Amino acid sequence: MPRLKIYVGTVYGGALDVAEQISPLFEQAGYEVAVIEQPTLADLVDDRPDLALFCLSTTGSGDFPGDFVAFVRALKETPPALNGLRYGLIALGDSSYGDTFCGSGRALDEILADLGAQRLGERLEIDAMETFMADDAALPWAEAWIAEQGLSA
């Protein structure tokens, strides 16, 4: 059974809620799913999943949530080769912050690409100004992502 790890970075719990809401979709698609809060580099590198999904909020001026900072720092300080890692990304933000909207998701996407990882499909950016419940946007996106990328096991 293929394994999916959902790496979560959250401020007020919204990204974790999204991860927990979409997990059953991947289980139905044949994956063993693990939701990882406060991920470490070892969670990604030492026990690499068949598929990775990053679900994170943006805080402050486009910054990573506090529970995700150590993970990103490790990616930068000890850059692993992520060739062959297939991933998706769900970024939560607030467009009233202008240029820093979904800044952490966009920054992580760039870091992962620089390390050789391959994003499947488009990054989902959820705007709190337009979508009150983030899972209202995430659930249809995840269903479409599974179908369009042929991810059913």
Side-chain angles (χ1 to χ4, degrees):
M1 177 178 282
R3 293 179 311 124
L4 165 71
K5 287 186 180 180
I6 304 176
Y7 302 90
V8 178
T10 193
V11 179
Y12 300 113
L16 177 60
D17 183 55
V18 166
E20 290 172 344
Q21 293 293 320
I22 64 174
S23 291
L25 297 175
F26 290 95
E27 290 168 352
Q28 292 167 11
Y31 286 83
E32 176 185 324
V33 179
V35 175
I36 301 173
E37 300 175 68
Q38 299 184 342
T40 65
L41 192 56
D43 291 325
L44 179 65
V45 176
D46 295 347
D47 186 25
R48 185 181 282 192
D50 298 292
L51 182 65
L53 181 60
F54 296 89
C55 188
L56 69 157
S57 301
T58 296
T59 187
S61 298
D63 301 320
F64 290 99
D67 63 352
F68 210 76
V69 170
F71 176 74
V72 173
R73 185 179 303 125
L75 281 174
K76 291 178 178 179
E77 292 175 356
T78 315
L82 297 180
N83 301 37
L85 176 69
R86 300 174 319 142
Y87 75 95
L89 202 147
I90 298 174
L92 288 74
D94 185 327
S95 62
S96 69
Y97 285 85
D99 291 344
T100 62
F101 170 64
C102 288
S104 65
R106 294 173 181 179
L108 179 64
D109 213 0
E110 191 173 306
I111 292 166
L112 293 170
D114 288 347
L115 295 174
Q118 175 192 3
R119 188 184 72 227
L120 302 178
E122 295 299 316
R123 172 180 64 237
L124 173 62
E125 294 184 350
I126 301 174
D127 184 357
M129 293 295 290
E130 295 177 3
T131 307
F132 179 68
M133 298 296 291
D135 53 335
D136 287 345
L139 286 166
W141 177 88
E143 288 174 341
W145 192 59
I146 291 168
E148 292 167 4
Q149 300 301 322
L151 299 175
S152 292

